[in-house]
C-alpha cells in the first residue's frame, strides 16, 4: 500500500499555498536568527508561529479531509523526504545543525549574559517568556516553545490521518496535553509561584531526568518549603511506586506513547519517518546492548552523584556513603535474584544482558567504595563524569542524533537505542505487565504493513503469521501496527499474565489443535 498511487506525490494548489504560508513563518524566524531586530517582537512572534501553524493546518486538511477515513500511507517510498532522498538529507542536516547550535553555541541564537538583553531569535521570544514567567527568554525557552508548537500542529495532522482509529486519537490528544501543560506551561507558572524552585518537568521521571538528584537541586527543593519537598517526594514515588503500577496495568505505552515529550514529538512530527526504522536482527542485537549499557551508565552516575555529597560519620548522618552503597547493591541484588528465580523463562535470551549489566554495576559499586575519595570517583571528579553523561547521552544522543536523524533512521532512534527510561519500562513490561498485542494468525495475509510502520523496528508480521502474542521490551504500544492492518489481525490488550508469552505456539501447521489452544487462552 505504501507503493501505490505515486501521482499523489504532486501537491495540489491549496497544498502549495499552505507550504508558502508556512515558509513565510519560517522565513520570519530565520530573519530573527540572522539578527533582524523587529520593532514589535510580540506581533512578529505571533505572526511567525501563526503562519507556520495555519500553513500546516491548511495542508493537513486538504491532504486528508478530501479522502475517506482509513489507512493513509500512499506513495511513502516515492517521496524524497520520506525515502532518504535529497530532501530527507537536507532536513536531517538542518535539524542536526540546529541542535548543535542549541546545545553548544547558544550565542548564535542570540543568548547573552544575564545582565544584558537578548538578541536575535531568542529576543523574539522575550515577550512570551515575560508574559508566562516574568523573565527574559533563554535558548531552552525558545526550544520548548518550538517543541510544543511542533507537537500541537503535527499532532493535529496526525489526528486527521488516523481519524478512523479511536485509540490513536486519544493517545495523540494525551501527548499534546502533557507537552503543553506539564512540560511547557506548569514549569513557567511554578517559577512565578516560587523562583527558587529549579525547573521541573513533572512528567520526566528518573532515569530520564538523571540530574534530579544532584545536590544543588535537592537543596533547592528542600529550601523551597512544602512545595519543593512535595516535588522531591513525588519524584521518588514516581520511580518506585507510580511507574511500576502503571506499567503493570498498561505496559510502557502509558508513558512512551501517552505522556513522554520525546515520544510525543516522535509520534507527531516524526510520523512520516516511522517506516525508516531498521528491522534487521543485527539492529535488534545492537539495540539491546546499547540501551542497557546506557541504563547501567545512568544507574552508576546517579549513584555516584548522590554518593559524593553524603557524609561518612554515622553520628551526623543516618544515610552515610557506606550505607547508601550497600542499600543500592542490596536492592539491585534483590531484583536480580527474584527475576532470575521467578521470571527467567519469560526473560529468555535477554537474561544474559541482565546478568552482564548486574555484574558491571556491582563491580563498579565496589570500585567506588574502594577507590573514591571525598571529591573524586576513581580518578575523576564526580562532576566530570556527570558532565560527560550529559554531553554524550543527554545532548548528542537524545538531541543531535535522536531528533536530527529522524529523516534518515526513523523517528524513534533515541527511544529505541538510548533512552534509559525506555529500558526500565521495557524490563517491567516484559516481565511484570498485563499488556500484550494479540494476533489472529488465521486472518493475516502477510502484507507487511505492520512491520513496515513499526517505529521500534519490530518484525510484527513474523509474530502475526504464527499467531503469537507480541511481548517485546521495546514495544511502546503506539498501536500503528493495528491501525494500518487491513484485516484487523492485531489488537492491543491488557489481560491476565497467563498465556501472555506463547513463543512455542505455531498456528501454521497440521500438528496444532487450534480450538484447544484458543481455549487455554
Amino acid at each position: 500500500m505504501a507503493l501505490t498511487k505515486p501521482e499523489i506525490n504532486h501537491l495540489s494548489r491549496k497544498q502549495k499555498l499552505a507550504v508558502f504560508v508556512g515558509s513565510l513563518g519560517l522565513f520570519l524566524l530565520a530573519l530573527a536568527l540572522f539578527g533582524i531586530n523587529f520593532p514589535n517582537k510580540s506581533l512578529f512572534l505571533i505572526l511567525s508561529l501563526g503562519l507556520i501553524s495555519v500553513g500546516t493546518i491548511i495542508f493537513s486538511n486538504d491532504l486528508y479531509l478530501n479522502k475517506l477515513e482509513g489507512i493513509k500511507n500512499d506513495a511513502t517510498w516515492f517521496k524524497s523526504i520520506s525515502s532518504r532522498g535529497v530532501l530527507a538529507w537536507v532536513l536531517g542536516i538542518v535539524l542536526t545543525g540546529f541542535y548543535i547550535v542549541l546545545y553548544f553555541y547558544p550565542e548564535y541564537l542570540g543568548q547573552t549574559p544575564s545582565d544584558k538583553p537578548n538578541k536575535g531569535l531568542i529576543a523574539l521570544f522575550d515577550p512570551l517568556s515575560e508574559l508566562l514567567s516574568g523573565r527574559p527568554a533563554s535558548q531552552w525557552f525558545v526550544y520548548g516553545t518550538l517543541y510544543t508548537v511542533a507537537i500541537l500542529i503535527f499532532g493535529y495532522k496526525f489526528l486527521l490521518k488516523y481519524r478512523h482509529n479511536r485509540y490513536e486519537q486519544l493517545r495523540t490528544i494525551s501527548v499534546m496535553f502533557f507537552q503543553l501543560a506539564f512540560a511547557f506551561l506548569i514549569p513557567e507558572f511554578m517559577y512565578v509561584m516560587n523562583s527558587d524552585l529549579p525547573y521541573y518537568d513533572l512528567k520526566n521521571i528518573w532515569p530520564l531526568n538523571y540530574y534530579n538528584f544532584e545536590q544543588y537541586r535537592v537543596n533547592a527543593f528542600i529550601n523551597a518549603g512544602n512545595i519543593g519537598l512535595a516535588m522531591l517526594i513525588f519524584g521518588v514515588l514516581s520511580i518506585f511506586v507510580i511507574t511500576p503500577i502503571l506499567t503493570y496495568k498498561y505496559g510502557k505505552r502509558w508513558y512512551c506513547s501517552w505522556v513522554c515529550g520525546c515520544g510525543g514529538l516522535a509520534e507527531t512530527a516524526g510520523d512520516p519517518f516511522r517506516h525508516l526504522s531498521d528491522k534487521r536482527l543485527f539492529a535488534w542485537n545492537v539495540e539491546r546492548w546499547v540501551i542497557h549499557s546506557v541504563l547501567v551508565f545512568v544507574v552508576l552516575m546517579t549513584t555516584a552523584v548522590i554518593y559524593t555529597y553524603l557524609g561518612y560519620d554515622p553520628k551526623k548522618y543516618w544515610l552515610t556513603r557506606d550505607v547508601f552503597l550497600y542499600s543500592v547493591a542490596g536492592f539491585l541484588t534483590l531484583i536480580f535474584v527474584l527475576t532470575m528465580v521467578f521470571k527467567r523463562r519469560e526473560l529468555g535470551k535477554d537474561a544474559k544482558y541482565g546478568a552482564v549489566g548486574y555484574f558491571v554495576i556491582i563491580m563498579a559499586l565496589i570500585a567506588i567504595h574502594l577507590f573514591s575519595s571525598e571529591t573524586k570517583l576513581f580518578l575523576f571528579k564526580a562532576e566530570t563524569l556527570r558532565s560527560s553523561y550529559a554531553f554524550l547521552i543527554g545532548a548528542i544522543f537524545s538531541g543531535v542524533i535522536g531528533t536530527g536523524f529522524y529523516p534518515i533512521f526513523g523517528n524513534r532512534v533515541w527511544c529505541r537505542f538510548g533512552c534509559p527510561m525506555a529500558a526500565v519500562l521495557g524490563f517491567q513490561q516484559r516481565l511484570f505487565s498485563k499488556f500484550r498485542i494479540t494476533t489472529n494468525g488465521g486472518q493475516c495475509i502477510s502484507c507487511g504493513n505492520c512491520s513496515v510502520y513499526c517505529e521500534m523496528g519490530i518484525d510484527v508480521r513474523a509474530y502475526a503469521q504464527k499467531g503469537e502474542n507480541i511481548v517485546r521490551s521495546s514495544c511502546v504500544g503506539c498501536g500503528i501496527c493495528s491501525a494500518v492492518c487491513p484485516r484487523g489481525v492485531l489488537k492491543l490488550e491488557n489481560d491476565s499474565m497467563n498465556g501472555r508469552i506463547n513463543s512455542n505456539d505455531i498456528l501454521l501447521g497440521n500438528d496444532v489443535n487450534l480450538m484447544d489452544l484458543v481455549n487455554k487462552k
Side-chain angles (χ1 to χ4, degrees):
M1 291 183 181
L3 298 177
T4 60
K5 295 183 68 178
E7 67 272 12
I8 201 172
N9 202 21
H10 300 292
L11 301 181
S12 67
R13 290 184 179 180
K14 188 174 290 187
Q15 290 172 7
K16 291 178 180 179
L17 174 63
V19 171
F20 176 74
V21 171
S23 299
L24 282 180
L26 290 173
F27 180 68
L28 292 178
L29 292 181
L31 290 179
L33 178 63
F34 290 110
I36 299 298
N37 186 20
F38 294 109
N40 189 330
K41 292 183 175 58
S42 299
L43 175 62
F44 279 92
L45 177 62
I46 294 173
L47 191 60
S48 61
L49 297 182
L51 287 172
I52 294 172
S53 302
V54 169
T56 305
I57 291 172
I58 294 175
F59 189 95
S60 302
N61 288 343
D62 188 72
L63 183 61
Y64 296 119
L65 293 182
N66 293 325
K67 303 176 183 176
L68 296 175
E69 297 180 1
I71 303 170
K72 300 291 190 303
N73 290 310
D74 303 326
T76 298
W77 290 105
F78 286 94
K79 298 176 183 177
S80 176
I81 198 165
S82 60
S83 61
R84 300 192 182 100
V86 174
L87 290 180
W89 282 98
V90 170
L91 179 60
I93 292 171
V94 170
L95 289 174
T96 302
F98 171 75
Y99 273 91
I100 291 174
V101 172
L102 176 73
Y103 279 103
F104 308 115
Y105 305 101
E107 61 272 16
Y108 293 126
L109 299 178
Q111 186 72 54
T112 59
S114 57
D115 58 338
K116 296 182 180 180
N118 289 320
K119 301 177 182 179
L121 182 64
I122 296 179
L124 184 64
F125 286 77
D126 277 341
L128 180 59
S129 182
E130 294 283 356
L131 175 66
L132 294 177
S133 62
R135 55 181 172 175
S138 66
Q139 84 256 41
W140 302 119
F141 180 83
V142 173
Y143 178 56
T145 304
L146 296 176
Y147 199 101
T148 302
V149 169
I151 288 181
L152 293 178
I153 61 177
F154 287 107
Y156 174 79
K157 178 176 179 288
F158 190 93
L159 289 172
L160 295 184
K161 181 177 181 180
Y162 292 99
R163 64 188 186 277
H164 67 291
N165 191 296
R166 185 170 178 267
Y167 178 77
E168 299 303 330
Q169 298 273 304
L170 291 175
R171 75 179 185 88
T172 304
I173 292 172
S174 175
V175 297
M176 292 166 69
F177 165 76
F178 277 102
Q179 175 61 32
L180 178 62
F182 282 72
F184 185 62
L185 293 178
I186 291 179
E188 298 298 324
F189 295 156
M190 286 170 57
Y191 178 83
V192 176
M193 295 170 56
N194 190 330
S195 60
D196 293 329
L197 281 172
Y199 174 85
Y200 193 10
D201 181 354
L202 292 173
K203 63 181 178 55
N204 267 9
I205 304 170
W206 185 91
L208 199 57
N209 62 349
Y210 57 90
Y211 48 80
N212 209 41
F213 296 102
E214 293 184 16
Q215 186 173 11
Y216 82 93
R217 291 182 64 86
V218 173
N219 291 341
F221 284 132
I222 294 175
N223 294 334
N226 292 334
I227 296 179
L229 186 60
M231 293 170 61
L232 186 59
I233 294 174
F234 175 77
V236 176
L237 290 178
S238 298
I239 301 170
F240 297 106
V241 179
I242 299 175
T243 293
I245 291 176
L246 290 176
T247 307
Y248 168 72
K249 291 178 66 66
Y250 306 110
K252 66 191 287 187
R253 59 176 171 161
W254 76 267
Y255 187 79
C256 295
S257 288
W258 288 70
V259 173
C260 178
C262 297
L265 188 69
E267 292 295 335
T268 53
D271 175 67
F273 312 111
R274 62 172 60 250
H275 58 285
L276 299 176
S277 60
D278 196 333
K279 311 299 192 301
R280 294 176 299 169
L281 287 176
F282 171 77
W284 187 14
N285 289 327
V286 172
E287 168 193 332
R288 288 184 287 182
W289 279 109
V290 172
I291 196 169
H292 290 99
S293 298
V294 172
L295 179 60
V296 168
F297 194 31
V298 173
V299 171
L300 290 176
M301 288 304 97
T302 304
T303 303
V305 167
I306 298 176
Y307 176 87
T308 54
Y309 62 78
L310 294 177
Y312 288 101
D313 190 353
K315 296 180 180 179
K316 295 181 179 180
Y317 314 98
W318 68 269
L319 184 61
T320 62
R321 291 186 170 190
D322 292 344
V323 171
F324 176 68
L325 284 184
Y326 294 147
S327 299
V328 172
F331 179 72
L332 293 176
T333 300
L334 178 63
I335 293 178
F336 179 76
V337 171
L338 291 176
T339 301
M340 289 300 176
V341 171
F342 297 104
K343 294 289 182 176
R344 183 176 179 84
R345 175 182 171 273
E346 288 88 343
L347 199 62
K349 295 180 180 179
D350 288 340
K352 66 179 181 180
Y353 299 100
V356 171
Y358 170 77
F359 176 78
V360 170
I361 291 177
I362 294 301
M363 291 298 101
L365 293 179
I366 293 174
I368 289 175
H369 179 69
L370 294 177
F371 301 109
S372 298
S373 64
E374 292 189 11
T375 59
K376 291 186 177 182
L377 292 169
F378 312 115
L379 301 176
F380 307 95
K381 292 183 178 180
E383 180 61 24
T384 301
L385 292 177
R386 189 206 64 79
S387 300
S388 299
Y389 173 82
F391 173 77
L392 294 173
I393 307 300
I396 298 297
F397 208 151
S398 67
V400 176
I401 296 177
T403 305
F405 284 19
Y406 273 6
I408 307 302
F409 297 127
N411 61 327
R412 287 274 190 173
V413 176
W414 161 248
C415 308
R416 183 180 178 186
F417 293 95
C419 178
M421 183 70 179
V424 172
L425 295 179
F427 173 80
Q428 296 173 359
Q429 174 172 272
R430 180 164 178 82
L431 301 183
F432 310 109
S433 175
K434 293 182 177 182
F435 172 70
R436 87 289 309 272
I437 301 178
T438 58
T439 62
N440 182 349
Q443 291 292 320
C444 180
I445 59 174
S446 299
C447 68
N449 263 8
C450 53
S451 293
V452 169
Y453 292 103
C454 177
E455 59 194 356
M456 299 305 292
I458 301 172
D459 187 4
V460 181
R461 179 174 59 179
Y463 292 86
Q465 288 173 333
K466 296 182 289 186
E468 291 183 16
N469 290 343
I470 302 171
V471 181
R472 286 275 289 269
S473 298
S474 58
C475 177
V476 294
C478 69
I480 295 297
C481 58
S482 176
V484 300
C485 177
R487 300 282 290 172
V489 173
L490 305 159
K491 183 179 179 182
L492 282 68
E493 293 186 3
N494 299 310
D495 205 338
S496 68
M497 298 286 289
N498 296 329
R500 180 168 166 267
I501 297 179
N502 59 341
S503 58
N504 293 324
D505 302 332
I506 307 297
L507 298 188
L508 301 181
N510 298 323
D511 58 341
V512 177
N513 188 320
L514 298 183
M515 291 309 301
D516 286 347
L517 189 59
V518 170
N519 290 333
K520 289 180 182 178
K521 299 178 182 179

